[in-house]
Amino acid sequence: MTAPRKQVRLAAHFPGVNNTTVWGDPASGSHIDFAGFAHLARTAERAMFDLFFLAEGLSLREHAGHLHDLDVVGRPDAMTVLSALAAVTERIGLAATLTTTYHEPLEVARQLATLDHLSDGRAAWNLVTSTDAVSGANFRRGAYLPYDGRYDRAGELLGLADRLWRDGPGPFRAEGRQVDLHGEWDLASPPQGRPVILQAGDSDAGREFAAQRADAVFTRHASVPEGQAFVRDVKGRLARYGRRPEDLLVLPGATFVLGDTDEDAREQAAHVRRQQVSGPTAIVFAEQLWNRDLSAYDPDGPLPDVDPVEGEITIAPGSIPARAFAGKRHETVEQLRALAARDDLSLRDVMVETRARHSFVGSPETVADEIDRHVQLDACDGFILVPHITPGGLDAFADRVVPLLQERGSLRTAWEGGTLRDRLGLPRWSPAESAVRAD
């Protein structure tokens, strides 16, 4: 008997503070006008996506003491936007990015419970653990939290939120290393019991946190072998917490470029990558690797002839990409120099080639095949798709790729289940798993 096909889980990401979005393209719309958010969310909903995922930045992006061209100015508050979207959508999940580092526990719990009530059980929380001092300066605690303490606070904050959502109105007390509060909670339990928890973090601590506490994990692992290894690792940790492999969804982020043919799509993708990595952005990427000021270098010239600086991160403190190169800067630079020499590439060319996000590039048939192949081979459970044009960048995917996935039985053709948690096939939440530590 043939086993049923795994269902592809899809989320639409409205990006905000990265270089994926091509701001200067004539088709790019406003990131303030509510109509733009509504268009992308409604497009994802008609395409039977599970989630609309809204990124959030808590400050303007800074690098080496200056603002740079990766950011969007004046982006509205994510929770306000999602609350408004709850009124103009019916089934799609609504995921907010909120940091456990700078937000207060009751603030986060109340916002998410409110969104879950307003949306009839469609709220999700993309739980992040911020470290950058620039964002921290906007908050009372500043950047006080050491890097190693991020998950301690995240676990205690989520634990308190879980208790409040479970118990409903009444007095509470939480005594922990990072969260020490007592007071009165005033909201009824959310329709889902607990909003769906997404977590992004590829460190060992991040993987362990996802295995213990999250419903879905957002990862960057792109190829089938890399994805399979990540799935085996993170889902292999679930049993120690009494959880099953199906209790945690693995959702890599990915971009896409569609064309009438594969060749047409490849030509478009090359143009898009050049738009995404401007000269100043190429210098920013290089400085994150070299860990030193490279502003005197021409992005359209050769790679810098100076050595990278290991040790303390000085050029971009708190930057996740900068930390990712720690301990392997010299090795990575030598690899890039070899690539540049082999293919006669400029600094910008190298950054275009090596820093682009994972993309599905091809005809609708090719893209549908590749997405489905990753899921059926257990390299992931689906994807968080990041269009490079907003708000209309998902339209072609909805019209041309989604029907192909539906034809092969890998994507729903009708809505089922009552809440987002139900539709994702996640188990009913067990609050006993989320007790706040009191020691």
Side-chain angles (χ1 to χ4, degrees):
M1 182 176 179
T2 304
R5 298 188 69 81
K6 285 184 63 180
Q7 292 297 291
V8 175
R9 301 298 179 184
L10 293 175
H13 182 196
F14 197 114
V17 286
N18 57 54
N19 69 305
T20 300
T21 300
V22 180
W23 315 115
D25 193 290
S28 184
S30 170
H31 279 238
I32 298 176
D33 185 354
F34 178 68
F37 296 102
H39 178 94
L40 188 60
R42 285 167 163 167
T43 300
E45 185 168 65
R46 72 176 174 83
M48 297 291 172
F49 277 47
D50 296 284
L51 280 169
F52 174 80
F53 174 33
L54 194 58
E56 177 97 286
L58 299 177
S59 66
L60 292 177
R61 186 71 65 87
E62 184 177 294
H63 175 86
H66 302 282
L67 300 179
H68 61 76
D69 69 345
L70 300 189
D71 215 340
V72 55
V73 177
R75 178 75 170 267
D77 174 72
M79 291 301 299
T80 305
V81 172
L82 293 173
S83 295
L85 288 174
V88 298
T89 57
E90 295 181 353
R91 298 298 187 98
I92 193 165
L94 302 170
T97 299
L98 296 168
T99 175
T100 56
T101 302
Y102 302 126
H103 289 307
E104 292 296 326
L106 264 67
E107 170 196 26
V108 171
R110 203 168 195 281
Q111 286 178 320
L112 289 163
T114 298
L115 180 61
D116 208 48
H117 282 293
L118 293 177
S119 65
D120 294 326
R122 294 187 282 138
W125 176 12
N126 177 40
L127 185 155
V128 297
T129 55
S130 304
T131 60
D132 62 291
V134 177
S135 295
N138 285 340
F139 293 85
R140 178 172 60 86
R141 284 188 171 86
Y144 82 101
L145 190 63
Y147 180 80
D148 293 341
R150 296 178 308 145
Y151 285 109
D152 289 339
R153 179 171 171 83
E156 290 183 15
L157 192 150
L158 177 57
L160 175 56
D162 282 339
R163 276 181 46 191
L164 298 175
W165 294 332
R166 176 195 65 197
D167 295 344
F172 72 89
R173 183 169 189 86
E175 297 177 325
R177 297 187 182 95
Q178 296 283 346
V179 176
D180 187 355
L181 294 171
H182 64 90
E184 296 280 343
W185 176 251
D186 63 349
L187 276 182
S189 296
Q192 294 185 93
R194 177 210 215 190
V196 171
I197 305 298
L198 292 82
Q199 188 264 337
D202 193 39
S203 66
D204 186 71
R207 295 182 187 208
E208 199 68 23
F209 187 90
Q212 182 181 11
R213 312 297 287 275
D215 299 305
V217 58
F218 183 13
T219 175
R220 292 179 178 269
H221 293 280
S223 70
V224 167
E226 288 177 343
Q228 289 172 328
F230 180 84
V231 168
R232 284 194 300 269
D233 179 39
V234 74
K235 293 200 177 189
R237 303 172 187 234
L238 293 168
R240 71 185 68 163
Y241 301 110
R243 306 181 69 194
R244 305 166 301 166
E246 58 266 33
D247 293 346
L248 180 69
L249 302 175
V250 175
L251 304 173
T255 61
F256 61 91
V257 178
L258 296 177
D260 292 331
T261 65
D262 289 351
E263 180 60 30
D264 175 42
R266 283 192 290 269
E267 291 178 3
Q268 290 186 50
H271 176 66
V272 169
R273 285 197 294 270
R274 298 292 294 186
Q275 290 179 297
Q276 291 171 326
V277 184
S278 66
T281 298
I283 294 295
V284 166
F285 285 164
E287 289 182 338
Q288 290 171 345
L289 169 56
W290 262 263
N291 193 27
R292 64 189 305 163
D293 180 10
L294 301 176
S295 58
Y297 287 85
D298 179 1
D300 293 315
L303 267 65
D305 54 3
V306 294
D307 288 333
V309 178
E310 292 286 6
E312 181 184 358
I313 299 173
T314 58
I315 196 68
S319 165
I320 293 175
R323 289 201 309 271
F325 294 116
K328 53 184 179 182
R329 297 185 190 280
H330 284 85
E331 175 188 354
T332 305
V333 165
E334 290 307 312
Q335 292 172 349
L336 297 190
R337 285 174 174 158
L339 173 64
R342 186 192 71 192
D343 296 339
D344 191 25
L345 301 179
S346 69
L347 171 58
R348 183 183 178 197
D349 292 333
V350 169
M351 293 303 151
V352 167
E353 289 295 317
T354 61
R355 294 298 296 271
R357 298 187 67 167
H358 172 54
S359 288
F360 292 108
V361 177
S363 67
E365 292 79 9
T366 295
V367 171
D369 286 345
E370 278 299 294
I371 288 175
D372 196 35
R373 186 171 75 91
H374 279 71
V375 173
Q376 303 309 325
L377 291 176
D378 293 327
C380 62
D381 295 294
F383 289 93
I384 297 177
L385 295 180
V386 190
H388 65 274
I389 296 292
T390 54
L394 195 65
D395 294 5
F397 188 95
D399 294 335
R400 304 182 67 186
V401 178
V402 164
L404 299 176
L405 292 171
Q406 291 172 325
E407 285 175 7
R408 65 185 62 192
S410 299
L411 184 66
R412 67 166 69 90
T413 58
W415 292 102
E416 73 286 339
T419 68
L420 173 61
R421 182 171 290 278
D422 295 331
R423 285 191 286 275
L424 288 172
L426 295 169
R428 296 298 296 174
W429 173 59
S430 174
E433 298 174 358
S434 302
V436 176
R437 291 179 56 182
D439 56 346

